[in-house]
Amino acid sequence: MDTITALIAGETITRGEAPIPIIDPATDTLVAELPEASGDTVDHAVAAARRSFEEGAWRTMPVEQRQAVLRRCADLIDAAVEPLADIECTNTGLPLAQIKGRSIPRAADNFRFFADYIGQATGRLYEQHPDYLTMVRREPIGVAALISPWNSPIALGSMKIASAIAFGNSCVIKPSEQAPLGISRLVEVIGAAGLPPGVVNLVNGRGHSTGDRLVRHPDVDCVAFTGGTPTGRVIMRTAGELLKPAVVELGGKSANIIFDDADFEAALDGALLGIFTNNGQQCLAGSRILVQRGIADRFVEAFVERARRIRVGDPRDPATVIGPMVSQRHRDHVLSFVPGGAAEGETLTGGRRAGEVGAYVEPTLVRVSDPDARVFQEEIFGPFAALMVFDTDEDAYCLANHSRFGLVSYVWSQSLQRIMTAQERLQAGTVWCNTPMMRELRAPFGGWKESGIGADGGLECEAHYTRAKTVSVPRRPLPLRKLGA
Ligand code: NAD
C-alpha cells in the first residue's frame, strides 16, 4: 500500500525517517511502513502554509468562491467514498458499513457546513457613541496546526481541516501515527477541489517528534488538538508557553443515566449504541451506565442478552457490528480493565479476546458497587461498559458528576421535569436526552473538566480560527485638542 510522509503544497513526499509500521488490526498483517516526516519536512510544510497565507489567494478569495471550493471538497469526498472507506477500514478495523454510512458522509458534511456558515458570518457594529462608529471585524488567524486522533480519523481530521480553512487560514494537519492512511488519502482527494497550493498540508509522524515540532513552530499561529487527556496537557503546556491559542478536545467517561420511568426499549437500544458504536472507541461513549434500582435486574438481563448476540468480526462483513480494536496493544489495554477480583467489579458478559487472530474484544459489561473503581473512573476506550445501580435521582447526579471528565451525559426518562432537572445538574459539555449521539454541528461540542478546553461548532470555530480587530471611525470631522499649538 502506498504511504505518504507528507503532502506539501500539492507535492507528495514519501521519504522520511524512522518508519512507522501500519498493521491491519483485523488480520495482524503489516500493510505498510510509513516513513516519519523529519523536522525539516515539518518546517517545509509550515513554510508552504505561511507562504500561501501571506500571498493571500485563499484568504482574500471572494466568499462565494471559497464556498464553492469547500463544496467541491465535499463532492470529491462523496465521490471517493469507496476508496476512502476501504483504506480507513484496513487501518482502523472500524466496520466498513459504519465508515461508509457515517464517517465519510460526515467528512463531506463538515465541508458543506462551514461553506454555509461563512456565507452568513457577520461582524459587529457599535454605534452608541454619537461621534464614532466602531466595528469589530474578524480576520483569519494565519497558520493552524491540527493534530488528530486515530479513533475516527477521517471524520475528525476533516472537521479540523474544514473549520480551519473555511475562515481563510492555511493549515498543516498531523494525523495519528496509528491510523494515518485515511486522512492522508482525504487530503489528496480534496487537492483537486481548487484550493490554492499550500492551504492544506499534511505531515505524518509520531506525536513527540513530528507533532511536537509542528506545535512549537514559530510560524504556527494556533493549535487544535483532539486526543487523550495526558497529551492534551502537554500540548496546552507548550501552546501556553508560546502564547498560542489552543483548543483541546480530550477524553471522556460519560454517564448514561436510565431512570425507572424511561422508555425501556429505547434506553436499552441507546445504551448499546452508546457503548458499542465505532468499536467502543469513542470519546463520547456512554461508558458508565447508571440504572435505577426498580428496573436494574430487567435492564442488566436484557443488555447482557443483546450484547452476547452482537456480531464481532471481520470489519468488511456487512453484518459486523464490532470490528477489532485499533491494535493488539490497545486490545490488551482494554482487557487490562477486566476485574481481577470482586472488589474491582463483577464481569457480567465479555471480558475476553474474541478469536485467535486480530485485535478483537468481546462486548463487555462489568457491574461495580464502588464509584472509585478503576473501570468506573478511567477511560477504557473499547466495547466495555461499567454499570452501577442507583436509588434516588440525587444519587444519579452525584455518581454521574463523580468523574474528572465532563464530555457528555445521556439521560433517559419520560418525565419532562426529570429531564429538565438532569440537564441542569449534569456536569458535561453536552447532555443528550432520550437519544444516543446526536451531533448538531451548529452547536458547541466540547468537554468540561478534564475533557477539554474549547469546542467545535460554528461560532466556536469562528472564534478560534479568527481574531477580532476593533476599528473606530469618526462619523464626521472631529475637532481634536491641539497639543503644543
Ligand atoms: P493521543 O493523545 O495518543 O494522540 C492524539 C494525537 O496527538 C496523535 O496524532 C499523536 O501523534 C499526537 N501527539 C502525541 N503526543 C504529542 C505531542 N507531544 N505533541 C504533539 N502531538 C502529539 O490520542 P489517541 O490515542 O490518538 O486518541 C484517543 C483519545 O482521543 C481518547 O482519549 C479520546 O477520548 C480522545 N478523543 C476525544 C475527542 C473529543 O472530541 N473530545 C474525539 C475523539 C477522540
Side-chain angles (χ1 to χ4, degrees):
M1 188 170 286
D2 294 344
T3 57
I4 297 165
T5 298
L7 285 165
I8 302 177
E11 184 198 352
T12 304
I13 296 172
T14 52
R15 61 186 185 283
E17 304 178 337
I20 300 166
I22 309 290
I23 312 278
D24 177 347
T27 57
D28 295 338
T29 50
L30 182 77
V31 290
E33 289 213 306
L34 174 67
E36 175 173 78
S38 66
D40 285 350
T41 303
V42 174
D43 294 352
H44 181 37
V46 176
R50 171 58 55 193
R51 199 163 43 249
S52 77
F53 185 73
E54 299 302 338
E55 287 172 1
W58 179 244
R59 172 168 57 87
T60 63
M61 187 180 281
V63 77
E64 283 79 8
Q65 284 180 32
R66 218 184 317 139
Q67 288 177 296
V69 175
L70 293 168
R71 292 192 179 114
R72 270 201 299 279
C73 290
D75 294 344
L76 288 166
I77 293 169
D78 280 339
V81 59
E82 295 292 337
L84 285 171
D86 184 65
I87 201 167
E88 184 94 322
C89 178
T90 301
N91 200 170
T92 62
L94 295 172
L96 191 63
Q98 289 179 31
I99 302 173
K100 278 193 204 170
R102 286 161 38 108
S103 307
I104 309 292
R106 168 70 194 285
D109 280 354
N110 289 337
F111 283 90
R112 289 197 182 98
F113 171 76
F114 282 102
D116 292 346
Y117 183 90
I118 58 170
Q120 296 292 321
T122 58
R124 272 147 57 196
L125 178 71
Y126 294 100
E127 42 184 332
Q128 288 88 342
H129 196 293
D131 294 334
Y132 286 92
L133 292 180
T134 292
M135 56 187 156
V136 182
R137 303 180 44 250
R138 299 207 71 95
E139 295 187 359
I141 189 164
V143 174
L146 312 175
I147 312 268
S148 55
W150 53 259
N151 63 308
S152 191
I154 287 183
L156 298 171
S158 62
M159 168 57 96
K160 296 236 171 298
I161 296 171
S163 55
I165 66 171
F167 298 101
N169 299 291
S170 297
C171 70
V172 181
I173 184 162
K174 193 207 79 68
S176 166
E177 62 273 39
Q178 292 198 64
L181 301 185
I183 193 74
S184 303
R185 194 51 54 88
L186 180 135
V187 171
E188 274 189 321
V189 164
I190 63 172
L195 290 159
V199 172
V200 177
N201 308 279
L202 171 139
V203 288
N204 272 317
R206 296 171 179 83
H208 61 83
S209 44
T210 310
D212 184 63
R213 176 87 167 209
L214 179 61
V215 171
R216 282 181 191 282
H217 198 291
D219 262 337
V220 161
D221 299 293
C222 73
V223 180
F225 168 78
T226 300
T229 296
T231 317
R233 274 185 221 286
V234 173
I235 289 194
M236 270 318 249
R237 211 175 293 133
T238 309
E241 180 111 353
L242 299 168
L243 291 178
K244 297 183 189 200
V247 163
V248 292
E249 307 194 28
L250 310 178
K253 188 76 181 177
S254 298
N256 185 359
I257 303 175
I258 301 165
F259 287 114
D260 54 9
D261 65 348
D263 174 332
F264 186 87
E265 279 302 313
L268 178 62
D269 291 341
L272 290 155
L273 286 167
I275 188 61
F276 296 132
T277 305
N278 215 60
N279 292 352
Q281 299 166 150
Q282 295 200 99
C283 58
L284 49 79
S287 51
R288 290 187 299 148
I289 300 173
L290 305 175
V291 58
Q292 200 154 18
R293 193 167 305 278
I295 56 166
D297 289 346
R298 186 176 156 219
F299 181 87
V300 168
E301 193 182 326
F303 187 100
V304 166
E305 192 193 323
R306 294 268 297 271
R308 286 187 179 148
R309 290 212 303 261
I310 286 176
R311 175 84 164 259
V312 180
D314 178 2
R316 291 174 186 281
D317 182 339
T320 289
V321 175
I322 300 180
M325 302 293 90
V326 71
S327 64
Q328 293 189 20
R329 192 159 65 97
H330 188 58
R331 174 200 62 207
D332 295 344
H333 167 79
V334 170
L335 291 174
S336 74
F337 286 91
V338 176
E344 293 174 21
E346 179 194 357
T347 305
L348 301 176
T349 190
R352 290 176 309 198
R353 274 186 73 167
E356 292 301 306
V357 175
Y360 296 95
V361 171
E362 291 179 348
T364 301
L365 182 68
V366 168
R367 183 172 178 157
V368 295
S369 50
D370 174 5
D372 289 318
R374 208 165 67 98
V375 284
F376 202 71
Q377 289 299 326
E378 304 273 313
E379 186 182 42
I380 300 173
F381 220 57
F384 191 132
L387 179 138
M388 259 191 94
V389 176
F390 68 89
D391 288 300
T392 67
D393 291 21
E394 195 56 35
D395 293 343
Y397 307 137
C398 287
L399 288 169
N401 293 337
H402 182 65
S403 169
R404 62 195 175 93
F405 297 109
L407 190 58
V408 167
S409 289
Y410 302 80
V411 52
W412 300 84
S413 164
Q414 295 191 80
S415 154
L416 181 60
Q417 193 52 55
R418 257 177 161 169
I419 291 287
M420 292 310 288
T421 306
Q423 61 81 24
E424 273 182 25
R425 293 292 304 278
L426 293 168
Q427 297 167 358
T430 297
V431 182
W432 280 314
C433 306
N434 292 325
T435 179
M437 189 260 237
M438 183 280 153
R439 187 73 172 82
E440 166 57 83
L441 292 184
R442 296 164 194 84
F445 181 78
W448 290 16
K449 304 199 271 189
E450 293 188 21
S451 289
I453 296 178
D456 279 335
L459 284 166
E460 287 67 26
C461 288
E462 183 178 0
H464 182 60
Y465 289 113
T466 61
R467 47 189 156 199
K469 181 176 275 178
T470 298
V471 181
S472 294
V473 183
R475 291 173 189 249
R476 65 194 72 82
L478 296 177
L480 299 181
R481 287 190 301 130
K482 295 200 174 298
L483 301 182

